[in-house]
Amino acid sequence: MTAQYHVSQQDVAKIGTALGRLLFYMLVATLVSLLSFSAIAADVAPDAENAAIFAQLESAGAVIRDIRVRPQNIFDLDHADENNWLFRTANKLHVVTRPTVIEQILLFKRGERVSVQKVDETERLLRNNRFIYDLEIRPIANADGSADIEVITHDAWSIDLVGSVSRSGGNNKTSFGLKEYNLLGTGLRLGFSQMSDEDRRGSEFEISYPLAFDGRTNLAYAQGQFNDGRRRSAMVVRPFFSLDTRWAAGVTWNEDDRLDSIYNAGNTTSQYRHSQDAAEIFGGWSPGLINGKTQRFLIGSRLRDDRYFVEPDRVRPPILPVSGNARAVFFRYEVVEDRFVKLKNRDKIGRPEFFRLGFVSQLQLTRDLESLGSTRSAWLYSAYVSNGISFTANRDLLLSGSLERRVATTGLPMTQAGASARIYLPQGSNAMFYASLAADRISGGGVADQLLLGGSNGLRGYPSYYQAGERRALLSLEQRAYTDWYPFRLLRVGGAVFFDYGRAWGGPNQNRSNPGWLADAGLGLRLAFDRAAFSNVLHADIAVPLNRSKDIKSTQFVVRTEVTF
């Protein structure tokens, strides 16, 4: 017999009062944003003007005569609000990005014809670099019909003095250390940190340089030492860095030794040691960008050895995962459509972002072979597809689906299928309704392969890993507000009211105390540190579980950093 638990009428009244107040504040913020729409439109006007000039130059067949790169410091001292002793000191301590670093990222070159597509994609690539806060690509028409292009970038503060404490799903996560995202303006990334979360604690060192050799190759190495094991990884990869890139190649290696856990109702019920060695080598070719789409073909080989052991002094799982070796060759085919929309106030706050609406698909076929050293021969595959549907007034629906057949911890093949939908409905310039629906399922996996749901992955009012099962579904609704408030010209501020509804079920490891559909509601603050290379969005949420059992708290305080809103 399953017990049902509900919040009291007094709790419901408190929740309603809190949510009502936040809704009122968000309505006020939305009205203010609508009144300030003209100021926001003025901010994006230079972009529209530059785009029009680039289009005219392309139509006229103009050739690029010169490219001038002008990296700027973090703060603009010509701006009255940024000319103070603190910002002047930050500028003096910061080493501005070298022009050659920016030049290596550019997709257009002197002597080539002006291409609007290359200009737009270059801006996307530049904005993907953490050490760049903002930029402008400006065209200058010459009397002889040629064109000069000026690239003006503004640096972000690249030193991250890591010192964070976050809480999500009832678990604390801390990290302390030092990371440099742009050492001496060269693009080199270097970091050392101490971390602790619900699974492990330890230290990690990492170094990477994405501009090696031809300026397009990423060299990276990382190693970590933890209380339950260690991990090391290295890579030399030249990716398909742009839509028109014709070839790619790479080698990756990873060694990991750790304790893996089985959870039930948010608690660790058993643990086992997992030792893994993996490596991959691949090469790829593409005909380039043709009619707005690019196709990519890759072939490669990979190995993966998984070893599982009983850990002394730990509760062993009912069935220990099965050790095995994989030696395989694979073929991968990709299609990517060049369809992006430049927007503000969607997944970021107050900053331009390129929102992908184009068709993307990837299909990989893998053959494990006993003759190469695999435990058994098997055909494996993975497929992914996504596409965007755009309606009027930047109302967008993003759809995706995936299907994968891989080796489970039982040693036998298993399948996993999933689908998701996300919809963005702007309400003026500074407010938006957002909804996401995701569902997935596995077939043929063991207890260690089951799908997890809880505070750390979408159900904000419940502990991490609260439910587990062979099927999972989650609906999230958010009323978002993006303010124009820019305190100290360092932080951008937003907020959200949210509702989550989901469940994980099926299989041998379901939550026995609260196995049904779960819901939560809450409100949150969003802070974006956009002048720093570590410019993630801080989420500070208060979430109330609406179908809770007695073993969890009536209110969850969730503080964490995310890449997006």
Side-chain angles (χ1 to χ4, degrees):
M1 182 172 63
T2 302
Q4 298 291 329
Y5 298 91
H6 302 279
V7 294
S8 66
Q9 292 183 350
Q10 185 178 8
D11 289 335
V12 172
K14 291 180 180 178
I15 296 168
T17 301
L19 294 179
R21 288 177 178 173
L22 184 61
L23 282 171
F24 172 76
Y25 294 142
M26 294 180 71
L27 287 172
V28 172
T30 302
L31 291 174
V32 172
S33 71
L34 291 174
L35 294 174
S36 61
F37 178 75
S38 59
I40 297 170
D43 285 343
V44 300
D47 281 349
E49 182 179 346
N50 289 339
I53 297 174
F54 273 124
Q56 293 172 2
L57 290 169
E58 182 180 47
S59 297
V63 173
I64 301 172
R65 184 182 69 179
D66 190 25
I67 299 173
R68 296 191 288 271
V69 177
R70 293 174 49 202
Q72 305 293 303
N73 218 320
I74 306 167
F75 298 102
D76 182 4
L77 301 184
D78 292 332
H79 194 295
D81 292 337
E82 295 187 16
N83 192 350
N84 57 57
W85 70 270
L86 179 61
F87 293 170
R88 289 193 297 270
T89 301
N91 276 4
K92 290 179 181 179
L93 294 175
H94 175 72
V95 179
V96 179
T97 301
R98 301 178 185 182
T100 53
V101 171
I102 304 300
E103 289 174 359
Q104 287 178 297
I105 302 173
L106 304 181
L107 298 179
F108 46 81
K109 296 179 175 61
R110 295 172 181 86
E112 294 183 345
R113 291 197 174 193
V114 172
S115 166
V116 172
Q117 189 279 329
K118 286 187 176 181
V119 170
D120 289 344
E121 189 173 4
T122 294
E123 183 178 352
R124 294 200 301 270
L125 292 178
L126 286 170
R127 289 190 182 277
N128 283 338
N129 287 275
R130 285 176 171 264
F131 56 80
I132 293 177
Y133 153 67
D134 202 4
L135 66 100
E136 181 183 3
I137 303 179
R138 181 185 304 168
I140 303 171
N142 298 316
D144 61 0
S146 65
D148 295 342
I149 297 180
E150 192 172 46
V151 181
I152 304 170
T153 61
H154 297 269
D155 277 8
W157 177 256
S158 59
I159 300 177
D160 183 3
L161 298 174
V162 181
S164 66
V165 178
S166 63
R167 181 175 177 82
S168 177
N171 297 305
N172 294 324
K173 181 178 180 180
T174 62
S175 61
F176 301 92
L178 175 67
K179 291 185 178 181
E180 169 59 70
Y181 292 90
N182 188 17
L183 184 65
L184 300 177
T186 64
L188 180 69
R189 180 171 176 173
L190 185 68
F192 176 80
S193 60
Q194 296 274 348
M195 55 81 70
S196 176
D197 59 24
E198 64 269 23
D199 293 318
R200 60 186 51 86
R201 63 181 183 275
S203 60
E204 189 165 28
F205 167 80
E206 59 181 317
I207 183 171
S208 63
Y209 185 52
L211 304 173
F213 306 136
D214 58 353
R216 307 295 188 180
T217 302
N218 187 16
L219 304 180
Y221 175 78
Q223 69 176 36
Q225 192 70 40
F226 308 96
N227 65 315
D228 67 339
R230 68 173 188 174
R231 66 169 173 251
R232 292 187 295 171
S233 65
M235 63 181 291
V236 181
V237 173
R238 186 190 192 271
F240 286 109
F241 56 86
S242 75
L243 292 172
D244 201 44
T245 300
R246 303 307 174 95
W247 66 276
V251 179
T252 65
W253 166 78
N254 181 73
E255 177 186 84
D256 198 356
D257 182 70
R258 65 182 186 270
L259 285 180
D260 282 348
S261 301
I262 304 295
Y263 302 94
N264 190 279
N267 300 311
T268 301
T269 58
S270 60
Q271 290 184 306
Y272 56 91
R273 182 154 297 280
H274 182 187
S275 178
Q276 179 187 98
D277 294 305
E280 181 176 291
I281 182 170
F282 69 89
W285 171 83
S286 170
L289 184 63
I290 300 174
N291 297 325
K293 291 184 179 180
T294 185
Q295 299 180 76
R296 295 166 177 168
F297 306 85
L298 295 95
I299 57 172
S301 177
R302 70 180 188 186
L303 67 84
R304 174 168 166 167
D305 296 338
D306 289 285
R307 297 286 182 268
Y308 303 98
F309 308 95
V310 173
E311 184 71 7
D313 303 324
R314 303 296 174 102
V315 177
R316 63 171 295 166
I319 301 176
L320 187 69
V322 178
S323 299
N325 300 331
R327 304 287 188 273
V329 292
F330 65 85
F331 169 77
R332 186 184 309 155
Y333 173 68
E334 300 176 358
V335 177
V336 182
E337 182 183 10
D338 182 19
R339 187 157 67 99
F340 296 82
V341 180
K342 188 176 181 180
L343 301 167
K344 282 188 178 181
N345 289 340
R346 180 151 293 196
D347 286 332
K348 296 182 180 180
I349 307 174
R351 294 183 64 185
E353 54 184 303
F354 284 90
F355 199 72
R356 181 192 290 274
L357 287 172
F359 176 80
V360 177
S361 68
Q362 182 184 101
L363 174 65
Q364 178 167 314
L365 184 63
T366 303
R367 177 62 171 170
D368 279 354
L369 293 167
E370 288 185 70
S371 59
L372 296 179
S374 290
T375 303
R376 60 180 54 84
S377 294
W379 285 103
L380 308 173
Y381 56 80
S382 65
Y384 171 82
V385 63
S386 69
N387 198 17
I389 302 172
S390 187
F391 306 100
T392 58
N394 290 328
R395 293 176 172 86
D396 300 314
L397 173 65
L398 301 184
L399 303 171
S400 66
S402 62
L403 178 65
E404 181 180 14
R405 180 175 174 84
R406 65 180 186 271
V407 176
T409 57
T410 60
L412 300 173
M414 61 168 280
T415 58
Q416 179 172 350
S420 71
R422 292 179 292 154
I423 190 166
Y424 296 80
L425 302 176
Q427 302 155 328
S429 57
N430 282 38
M432 176 180 294
F433 176 78
Y434 167 82
S436 69
L437 176 64
D440 51 351
R441 65 174 296 173
I442 61 172
S443 176
V447 173
D449 302 301
Q450 290 205 306
L451 305 168
L452 302 173
L453 184 63
S456 59
N457 55 351
L459 208 58
R460 286 167 276 198
Y462 296 84
S464 296
Y465 320 127
Y466 190 63
Q467 287 187 336
E470 295 177 341
R471 301 181 183 184
R472 178 175 59 185
L474 177 65
L475 170 69
S476 291
L477 308 175
E478 287 189 0
Q479 175 61 49
R480 298 177 174 181
Y482 310 82
T483 76
D484 295 324
W485 189 27
Y486 197 15
F488 312 110
R489 296 190 66 80
L490 292 174
L491 300 174
R492 298 189 184 272
V493 183
V497 175
F498 59 83
F499 172 81
D500 304 318
Y501 183 71
R503 184 188 181 195
W505 71 99
N509 191 38
Q510 295 186 80
N511 183 321
R512 293 178 291 272
S513 63
N514 201 356
W517 289 90
L518 304 176
D520 64 59
L523 49 89
L525 178 68
R526 305 289 182 265
L527 299 175
F529 302 85
D530 63 355
R531 293 295 183 110
F534 48 94
S535 58
N536 294 328
V537 181
L538 177 68
H539 289 222
D541 296 332
I542 300 175
V544 177
L546 302 180
N547 305 91
R548 74 181 185 93
S549 55
K550 294 180 180 179
D551 58 337
I552 65 173
K553 295 180 179 179
S554 59
T555 303
Q556 299 284 339
F557 296 93
V558 183
V559 181
R560 66 190 188 280
T561 57
E562 298 285 351
V563 177
T564 64
F565 195 98

